[in-house]
Amino acid sequence: MLKIYGCYKSRATRVLWLTEELELAYEHVPVIQAGKLDNPLAADAPINTQSPAFLAVNPFGAIPALEDDGLVLFESLAITLYLAKQYGGEMGPKDLEEDALMMQWALFAATEIESNALKISRIAADGRLDSEAGKSEAAAAARLLKRPIAVLENHFAKNEFTVSDRFTVADINLAEIVRYAQPYAPLLDANPNLKAWLERCQSRPAFKTMWATRAAEK
Amino acid sequence: MLKIYGCYKSRATRVLWLTEELELAYEHVPVIQAGKLDNPLAADAPINTQSPAFLAVNPFGAIPALEDDGLVLFESLAITLYLAKQYGGEMGPKDLEEDALMMQWALFAATEIESNALKISRIAADGRLDSEAGKSEAAAAARLLKRPIAVLENHFAKNEFTVSDRFTVADINLAEIVRYAQPYAPLLDANPNLKAWLERCQSRPAFKTMWATRAAEK
């Protein structure tokens, strides 16, 4: 049986949203980041990225990780693309051109957007987005995102989806990375086509189920 | 005919090494970064990432870019993976498991290694690696690389290649990113299995041809 390692409050959301879309059966192992624990190696510590039981599966100690019939995979975007190709039907690429574009957008999001978007997400998670200092840091991150976000705005001015004319794994990968910047409203307000696309993605029942489960996670 | 946009002194090397390996026929358009020119829009400026002729092909203005029978692709690692799947035979994945691992390592290299390795590459390119300040900056970048480089050292202690038991596009993608850290010798000296793998990759005739062409580029 498919096993997915990684709690909901991690990049595992990408994978867990996709499994909802596909109604895939899997075992979920809610591994958490060791850095969130005072003593990750304590006998009563919850399973985490330093737990010997997890390292025996994934020596790299990274979440999310996937186990599928002998294949062990890390890197969340590689996991979603693999699952979509293996089990996803129309949610995955239907030819090599679509496959290439799905890789392109995954790499673009991971290298051009994710790190600055995560800065905004962390400021919001720390409850600092209403403070002057927090707002100013978020604005600085948003400025660094201006160019890649303009690329996406331009894309969604002309296209309804990330790749082709249907919702695919490429939308999940991109939406879950753009989501990190969502708490800083001026950025998406200035890019209405991107904002509308993100809202369409997040209105899907599978996203809502994943999101509610994430919110309920202890 | 396949068209590859991007000068050799850019991430296009990944693509140009692969085309050497595969002996692919293509037209090369040596687009350079606009940032390297005083006036990229001047009538006599060489073709660059702000040239209207290039933007007409790739509105994102990024190199390398690929054009193949109507498909326009950017993101160097997506380009190499596409070419290997479309034209690469054994150089590409032979099943979805290999395909997934090739994506995994490309994403790992791009997100965990590239930016700090590039810092070392730039210090070396500026001729500052012999100065105390340059050495100290390179050492700082090397410290940030310690954990992901240890993942690779561990991998190559047990495996001859990045994916499977043969040289593939996954080796080119990873080697071209690890190469950026190569000028700072202590890092690779401390990781002998990784160093030996990189030297094996770079001893291939296709790499040497690409590298000589790069050195001769004006």
Side-chain angles (χ1 to χ4, degrees):
Chain A
M1 151 116 44
L2 216 57
K3 274 194 189 180
I4 296 170
Y5 298 83
C7 58
Y8 276 79
K9 295 213 172 79
S10 79
R11 290 183 176 91
T13 50
R14 300 158 190 186
V15 183
L16 295 163
W17 177 0
L18 178 64
T19 56
E20 282 298 328
E21 295 278 358
L22 301 180
E23 300 180 19
L24 275 182
Y26 62 93
E27 181 184 339
H28 183 223
V29 187
V31 178
I32 63 177
Q33 291 286 1
K36 290 186 179 170
L37 299 170
D38 288 335
N39 189 356
L41 294 174
D44 61 348
I47 184 160
N48 64 77
T49 51
Q50 283 181 23
S51 300
F54 178 60
L55 290 173
V57 176
N58 178 13
F60 306 123
I63 54 167
L66 175 82
E67 217 182 335
D68 185 18
D69 195 21
L71 173 71
V72 175
L73 200 61
F74 65 107
E75 284 295 338
S76 58
L77 302 171
I79 293 173
T80 52
L81 289 166
Y82 166 75
L83 287 175
K85 290 183 208 185
Q86 186 76 278
Y87 306 111
E90 291 267 293
M91 193 71 81
K94 65 174 188 228
D95 55 33
L96 281 181
E97 284 71 19
E98 286 190 6
D99 181 62
L101 292 168
M102 288 180 184
M103 287 189 292
Q104 170 193 287
W105 289 114
L107 284 157
F108 178 81
T111 58
E112 303 288 328
I113 302 204
E114 186 157 23
S115 109
N116 286 307
L118 268 176
K119 285 182 199 160
I120 292 173
S121 172
R122 285 178 186 138
I123 294 165
D126 293 346
R128 299 196 304 113
L129 210 48
D130 290 328
S131 74
E132 279 312 304
K135 229 178 284 182
S136 148
E137 283 170 46
R143 273 193 300 277
L144 293 170
L145 285 168
K146 209 174 161 186
R147 202 174 160 275
I149 288 289
V151 167
L152 297 180
E153 173 64 12
N154 184 43
H155 179 79
F156 290 113
K158 288 176 257 167
N159 299 279
E160 195 178 344
F161 298 101
T162 305
V163 172
S164 85
D165 55 0
R166 66 187 192 282
F167 183 85
T168 67
V169 64
D171 293 292
I172 292 181
N173 285 341
L174 188 57
E176 279 298 275
I177 290 176
V178 175
R179 170 167 66 78
Y180 295 139
Q182 212 169 1
Y184 185 70
L187 184 62
L188 284 177
D189 287 346
N191 293 279
N193 289 291
L194 177 61
K195 183 179 178 177
W197 161 81
L198 185 59
E199 288 172 354
R200 283 199 304 278
C201 292
Q202 294 177 344
S203 70
R204 295 178 68 87
F207 174 83
K208 289 182 181 169
T209 302
M210 178 281 281
W211 197 240
T213 313
R214 181 183 179 280
E217 187 178 70
K218 275 173 200 149
Chain B
M1 148 109 55
L2 217 56
K3 273 194 190 181
I4 297 170
Y5 298 83
C7 59
Y8 276 79
K9 295 213 172 78
S10 80
R11 291 182 174 91
T13 52
R14 300 158 190 186
V15 183
L16 296 162
W17 177 0
L18 178 64
T19 56
E20 282 298 327
E21 295 278 357
L22 301 180
E23 299 180 21
L24 276 181
Y26 62 94
E27 181 184 340
H28 183 222
V29 186
V31 178
I32 63 177
Q33 292 286 0
K36 291 186 179 170
L37 299 171
D38 288 334
N39 189 355
L41 294 175
D44 61 348
I47 184 160
N48 64 77
T49 50
Q50 283 180 24
S51 300
F54 178 60
L55 290 173
V57 177
N58 179 12
F60 306 123
I63 54 166
L66 176 81
E67 216 183 335
D68 185 17
D69 194 21
L71 172 71
V72 174
L73 199 62
F74 64 107
E75 285 295 337
S76 58
L77 301 171
I79 294 173
T80 53
L81 289 167
Y82 166 76
L83 287 175
K85 290 182 208 184
Q86 187 75 279
Y87 306 110
E90 291 268 294
M91 193 71 81
K94 64 175 188 227
D95 55 32
L96 281 182
E97 284 71 19
E98 287 189 5
D99 180 61
L101 292 168
M102 288 180 183
M103 288 189 293
Q104 169 193 286
W105 288 114
L107 283 157
F108 178 81
T111 59
E112 303 287 329
I113 302 205
E114 186 157 23
S115 108
N116 286 307
L118 269 176
K119 285 181 198 160
I120 292 173
S121 172
R122 284 178 187 139
I123 295 165
D126 293 346
R128 299 196 305 113
L129 210 47
D130 291 327
S131 73
E132 279 312 305
K135 230 179 282 183
S136 147
E137 282 170 47
R143 274 194 300 277
L144 293 170
L145 285 168
K146 210 174 161 185
R147 200 173 160 276
I149 288 289
V151 167
L152 297 180
E153 174 64 12
N154 184 44
H155 179 79
F156 290 114
K158 289 177 255 167
N159 299 279
E160 195 178 342
F161 298 100
T162 305
V163 171
S164 84
D165 55 0
R166 65 188 194 281
F167 183 86
T168 67
V169 64
D171 293 291
I172 292 181
N173 285 341
L174 187 57
E176 279 297 275
I177 289 175
V178 175
R179 170 167 68 79
Y180 294 139
Q182 212 169 1
Y184 185 70
L187 184 63
L188 284 176
D189 286 346
N191 293 279
N193 288 290
L194 176 62
K195 183 179 178 178
W197 161 81
L198 184 59
E199 287 171 355
R200 283 200 304 279
C201 292
Q202 293 177 344
S203 69
R204 296 178 67 87
F207 174 83
K208 289 183 181 171
T209 302
M210 177 280 282
W211 197 240
T213 314
R214 181 184 180 280
E217 187 177 69
K218 273 173 203 149

